[in-house]
Amino acid sequence: MYLGGFKVKSIGLDTSGKMIVRGPQKAKGQIMVSGSKNSVLPIMGASLLTDEDIVLKNVPDLADVRTMIEILESAGKEVERYDDELVIKSSGILNSEIPYEPVRKMRASFNVYGPLTIRKGYAKVALPGGCSIGARPVDFHLEGLKKLGIESNIEHGFVTSSLIKPNKEINVSLPFPSVGATEHILTTACLLDGVKTTITNCAIEPEVTDLINFLNEMGARIFGSETSILKIEGVKKLKGIEYTVIPDRIEAGTYIIMGALIGQDLIVKNVTADHLHSLFSIFEKMGSPIDYDSKRREVKISALQLSTLKSISMETAPFPGFPTDLQPQMTTLLSLVSGRSTITETVFKSRFYHIDELNRMGAKIRVEDNTAIIEGVNKLSGAPVEATDLRAAAALLIAGLVAEGETVITNVDHIFRGYEKIQEKMEKIGVDLFYVK
């Protein structure tokens, strides 16, 4: 058993670690938001487009980042880490067959498939895994890549590719503004020398913009950033660069929601307000605007008087809408706001596995179709619960911190995929967590 400051050396998703939380607790002091997990993973994948050195800064130390390092090393890259900096170098050999073991751990790993095909003319990559939050097929990826001249065949759990000469002008229309498909297709199109690609109905999440900025600094020609229509003029070669990854808006939002329940002048640092307009809007709607210092780029928040907050109806949506990755955490907060609130999940309609666990803690929530109907209660009580995915783990941790008594969260290792040094950070703001391997 370990108290606070637990140093994770190597965490996979095959373990069933437990986190023991005794509440209620208070959080006071400063907590720093790390670099964005959902930005750095596709950026790391895009490093396969060049043989020159890539230096990435503000890189979080997460299980998913380590998995991507393993994938890059399988592809022939040499990766060195110095604190929050990654140096990605070429070994002189580029391998386009990626084994099952690392790819199965997370969905973002599949985005190396297109770049490897462009570089080598062939790739073999396992179908990806990740969190259990409903079906997320790679059909959009493969259909878009086919337009770029990449033929794919799925067999025995692997996708194999071959490359044919594409048209000089390509139009790809996404059926849904998928972040992963947008990133995969635009990254792959960058090295189609002399080919003009237009992608419509693109995702416009900040993480997509970060990837575009990274690629353009490498010498790519991508136009239409922050819009739903991207135009890419393929180039022959991309260069190595140094690049700083944006802060993680989901980590920031998680700590802000936590602060609304247990904060005592808690300061959340390294927050980009433009990436969290939808969350700030929800707090305004509830009657408690967020205190954001634009010069310091930080939020100061204390536990809210929950009895004075207004119940709300809201829904998740692609950016700039409310992010699905903050839905479980917001569900925890709304479970303690008097009256009836509703959250409609439009992105991953099966993302309600955390609700049965919150109900075990005394919440009153029912699900009808893709909507959670929340009847606010006065308190939560500690209970044994299970984390089914990364954000569910965060939601249950918040619930355990505000609940009365002891909460034991099993399968909690999911949380290490998205929250860097979470125990160390919690310890610094006075929160005690016990982790049992």
Side-chain angles (χ1 to χ4, degrees), residues 138-170:
V138 296
D139 295 359
F140 295 171
H141 297 238
L142 299 183
E143 289 167 7
L145 293 174
K146 186 174 182 179
K147 295 280 186 72
L148 304 184
I150 296 177
E151 297 285 345
S152 301
N153 182 53
I154 300 176
E155 194 172 31
H156 305 302
F158 283 83
V159 185
T160 56
S161 67
S162 58
L163 184 62
I164 62 175
K165 188 175 181 179
N167 296 326
K168 287 295 184 181
E169 293 194 6
I170 298 169

Side-chain angles (χ1 to χ4, degrees), residues 198-264:
T198 300
I199 313 172
T200 57
N201 200 26
C202 295
I204 59 172
E205 269 70 2
E207 296 80 12
V208 176
T209 300
D210 206 26
L211 174 63
I212 291 171
N213 291 340
F214 169 75
L215 289 166
N216 279 342
E217 287 193 25
M218 289 177 71
R221 293 178 57 79
I222 307 169
F223 307 93
S225 180
E226 299 184 50
T227 76
S228 62
I229 300 176
L230 294 176
K231 294 183 181 294
I232 303 107
E233 295 178 2
V235 298
K236 188 174 183 179
K237 184 179 180 181
L238 296 176
K239 64 184 179 180
I241 60 167
E242 291 189 5
Y243 189 81
T244 300
V245 177
I246 61 172
D248 194 308
R249 64 189 172 111
I250 304 302
E251 184 187 15
T254 298
Y255 294 148
I256 290 169
I257 292 170
M258 179 187 73
L261 289 171
I262 67 166
Q264 282 187 330

Side-chain angles (χ1 to χ4, degrees), residues 165-391:
K165 188 175 181 179
N167 296 326
K168 287 295 184 181
E169 293 194 6
I170 298 169
N171 292 292
V172 179
S173 179
L174 293 173
F176 177 84
S178 162
V179 172
T182 299
E183 293 171 338
H184 200 171
I185 296 165
L186 78 88
T187 300
T188 305
C190 287
L191 273 189
L192 290 177
D193 187 26
V195 174
K196 294 182 178 181
T197 303
T198 300
I199 313 172
T200 57
N201 200 26
C202 295
I204 59 172
E205 269 70 2
E207 296 80 12
V208 176
T209 300
D210 206 26
L211 174 63
I212 291 171
N213 291 340
F214 169 75
L215 289 166
N216 279 342
E217 287 193 25
M218 289 177 71
R221 293 178 57 79
I222 307 169
F223 307 93
S225 180
E226 299 184 50
T227 76
S228 62
I229 300 176
L230 294 176
K231 294 183 181 294
I232 303 107
E233 295 178 2
V235 298
K236 188 174 183 179
K237 184 179 180 181
L238 296 176
K239 64 184 179 180
I241 60 167
E242 291 189 5
Y243 189 81
T244 300
V245 177
I246 61 172
D248 194 308
R249 64 189 172 111
I250 304 302
E251 184 187 15
T254 298
Y255 294 148
I256 290 169
I257 292 170
M258 179 187 73
L261 289 171
I262 67 166
Q264 282 187 330
D265 294 330
L266 178 67
I267 296 175
V268 184
K269 300 182 71 67
N270 200 24
V271 177
T272 304
D274 287 347
H275 299 170
L276 286 169
H277 275 317
S278 60
L279 177 64
F280 286 17
S281 176
I282 289 296
F283 274 86
E284 282 191 21
K285 202 172 174 183
M286 290 191 296
S288 184
I290 293 292
D291 180 7
Y292 179 71
D293 187 325
S294 58
K295 289 185 178 180
R296 295 177 180 270
R297 296 178 60 243
E298 63 186 31
V299 168
K300 185 176 182 181
I301 190 162
S302 294
L304 305 178
Q305 292 291 329
L306 298 175
S307 60
T308 67
L309 296 182
K310 301 173 185 174
S311 57
I312 59 169
S313 293
M314 56 176 289
E315 66 176 31
T316 64
F319 190 84
F322 190 87
T324 181
D325 280 357
L326 285 177
Q327 180 260 108
Q329 302 90 310
M330 183 55 66
T331 301
T332 297
L333 173 58
L334 291 177
S335 73
L336 290 163
V337 174
S338 60
R340 175 180 290 182
S341 296
T342 63
I343 301 181
T344 299
E345 178 59 68
T346 70
V347 181
F348 298 129
K349 296 183 180 180
S350 299
R351 195 172 205 163
F352 285 129
Y353 296 121
H354 56 285
I355 284 177
D356 284 345
E357 306 308 298
L358 288 174
N359 285 341
R360 289 172 59 82
M361 300 178 70
K364 292 184 178 179
I365 309 170
R366 70 181 189 276
V367 177
E368 294 184 1
D369 296 323
N370 62 329
T371 298
I373 301 169
I374 307 162
E375 304 287 350
V377 298
N378 292 326
K379 67 176 183 178
L380 298 177
S381 301
V385 292
E386 180 181 7
T388 53
D389 64 73
L390 164 57
R391 306 307 173 183

